[in-house]
Amino acid sequence: MLRPVVLWRLTRLGGPAVSVGSGGRREVASGVPPSGSTSPRALNIFDRELKRKQKNWAARQPEPMKFDYLKEEVGSRIADRVYDIARDFPLALDVGCGRGYIAQHLNKKNSSETDIPTVNILADEEFLPFQENTFDLVVSSLSLHWVNDLPRALEQIHYVLKPDGVFVGAMFGGDTLYELRCSLQLAETEREGGFSPHISPFTAVSDLGHLLGRAGFNTLTVDTDEIQVNYPGMFELMEDLKGMGESNCSWNRKALLHRDTMLAAAAVYREMYRNEDGSIPATYQIYHMIGWKYHDSQARPAERGSATVSFGELAKLNDVMSQGKKE
């Protein structure tokens, strides 16, 4: 059975990257920027310090694992994609590992009797504290939607991958929580004469392939998936999002909503989307992505003009074969 031999698990940290050196010594590591990076550094969409506090608060709750159902499911799907690749990965990196949602499923599929050895570090996804061409595999599950500069984060992942290394990741898509977003907007517009963003912005799937290509990845695969979870009501949904550490941390968020507006939003949500059993659905759109770092051994497209058969000739051959089947 194919498996990573050693897995480095990277937990998010707002601020400078920190790695664990020999003997457990903490070292501040300035992320090594990819050579030729064209990513602008002016992007500042999210309050990363607030997100760190939200994650820490969620981790300190008495039963934090009861909110892990979504991340465990997506971690399982990423592990499946890793094991679909017919090769070993001596050294792997899990970016934004949390409680090891991918690693636990890799261990379940591992044919050996021992768990995959892991090393835990704290670092910033945009400033990975590793040298170029370090890892055979990089995975990331539901973490990259909180980085301020997604192009740079993808460039960093590409930078630390070895040639012919692969990145397998998943992040929330643009239609995530559309029911909650619509209900809040309608209620706030009616009660307060306008609305503010209460759900963090997500990347569009049409942009993701372009960003991966610009970061240097090739042989790309991008697909979408949806996971629908039912809740008793809107307030239970929001409580779970808080327990996941997934509350909004955009700089332009509105700090508070009036009580009447929240009650109206809950009523709108139930009226527009409720299930037959009275529960309400919440949709999580997941973008899955796979990208490879170039190596000479990889298959390349034929040179332009090297074809020996035209599309017109192929179309005629197809028509002849179709006619023969009819006869």
Side-chain angles (χ1 to χ4, degrees):
M1 179 66 74
L2 307 175
R3 62 185 180 89
V5 177
V6 178
L7 178 65
W8 286 65
R9 303 198 309 189
L10 184 149
T11 304
R12 82 169 61 247
L13 173 73
V18 179
S19 64
V20 178
S22 59
R25 180 168 51 91
R26 293 167 59 101
E27 303 171 334
V28 176
S30 58
V32 181
S35 58
S37 173
T38 59
S39 178
R41 300 302 305 135
L43 298 177
N44 191 18
I45 303 169
F46 303 116
D47 183 344
R48 297 274 287 175
E49 178 63 18
L50 174 61
K51 177 50 58 183
R52 183 182 65 82
K53 292 178 180 179
Q54 291 173 349
K55 292 287 186 180
N56 288 343
W57 180 89
R60 290 194 298 265
Q61 297 312 296
E63 298 179 276
M65 288 184 289
K66 76 175 184 179
F67 301 110
D68 286 348
Y69 51 87
L70 187 63
K71 294 180 180 180
E72 288 183 354
E73 175 62 28
V74 176
S76 172
R77 298 184 185 191
I78 291 179
D80 287 341
R81 283 166 165 78
V82 170
Y83 275 87
D84 284 340
I85 301 173
R87 66 165 62 182
D88 290 333
F89 300 101
L91 193 61
L93 172 66
D94 183 354
V95 177
C97 64
R99 274 185 281 274
Y101 306 109
I102 300 176
Q104 62 178 296
H105 293 286
L106 290 176
N107 282 323
K108 289 178 183 178
K109 299 174 182 292
N110 184 12
S111 60
S112 69
E113 296 181 357
T114 59
D115 288 347
I116 298 169
T118 60
V119 179
N120 296 317
I121 67 167
L122 292 175
D124 190 313
E125 297 96 325
E126 295 177 30
F127 300 92
L128 298 181
F130 303 106
Q131 296 299 315
E132 186 177 13
N133 304 331
T134 299
F135 295 98
D136 304 279
L137 167 71
V138 176
V139 294
S140 180
S141 179
L142 303 186
S143 171
L144 293 177
H145 59 287
W146 289 123
V147 301
N148 274 313
D149 194 342
L150 181 58
R152 180 181 177 86
L154 294 175
E155 289 172 358
Q156 288 279 302
I157 291 172
H158 182 270
Y159 181 77
V160 302
L161 273 173
K162 295 178 182 178
D164 204 32
V166 62
F167 168 54
V168 182
M171 61 187 297
F172 285 123
D175 288 338
T176 295
L177 299 176
Y178 72 87
E179 304 97 338
L180 178 60
R181 182 186 299 111
C182 183
S183 300
L184 289 170
Q185 288 179 354
L186 289 174
E188 191 174 9
T189 300
E190 177 190 3
R191 297 299 177 111
E192 302 182 26
F195 65 87
S196 302
H198 298 286
I199 298 177
S200 297
F202 298 109
T203 303
V205 68
S206 58
D207 296 330
L208 190 54
H210 171 71
L211 292 175
L212 287 165
R214 197 176 81 173
F217 291 100
N218 59 48
T219 318
L220 304 176
T221 301
V222 178
D223 60 274
T224 65
D225 198 2
E226 285 190 355
I227 299 175
Q228 189 176 92
V229 181
N230 295 324
Y231 298 90
M234 188 189 80
F235 294 107
E236 287 80 4
L237 163 60
M238 297 180 73
E239 179 183 359
D240 273 25
L241 292 175
K242 185 177 180 180
M244 296 177 195
E246 294 293 333
S247 300
N248 189 2
C249 70
S250 302
W251 284 110
N252 63 349
R253 70 191 181 280
K254 188 174 182 179
L256 296 172
L257 273 175
H258 295 116
R259 180 174 180 275
D260 289 347
T261 302
M262 293 293 291
L263 292 173
V268 170
Y269 201 136
R270 188 170 298 280
E271 180 64 27
M272 293 181 63
Y273 302 108
R274 71 176 180 271
N275 299 313
E276 292 183 358
D277 62 0
S279 63
I280 61 166
T283 300
Y284 300 92
Q285 185 182 38
I286 311 298
Y287 295 158
H288 290 277
M289 64 199 106
I290 300 176
W292 294 80
K293 189 168 183 176
Y294 177 76
H295 186 267
D296 289 338
S297 64
Q298 294 172 351
R300 283 176 280 182
E303 294 183 5
R304 185 178 181 86
S306 63
T308 58
V309 180
S310 69
F311 281 112
E313 291 173 321
L314 290 173
K316 290 179 182 179
L317 178 60
N318 183 62
D319 290 340
V320 171
M321 294 178 66
S322 299
Q323 186 65 31
K325 290 181 180 179
K326 291 180 181 178
E327 296 176 353

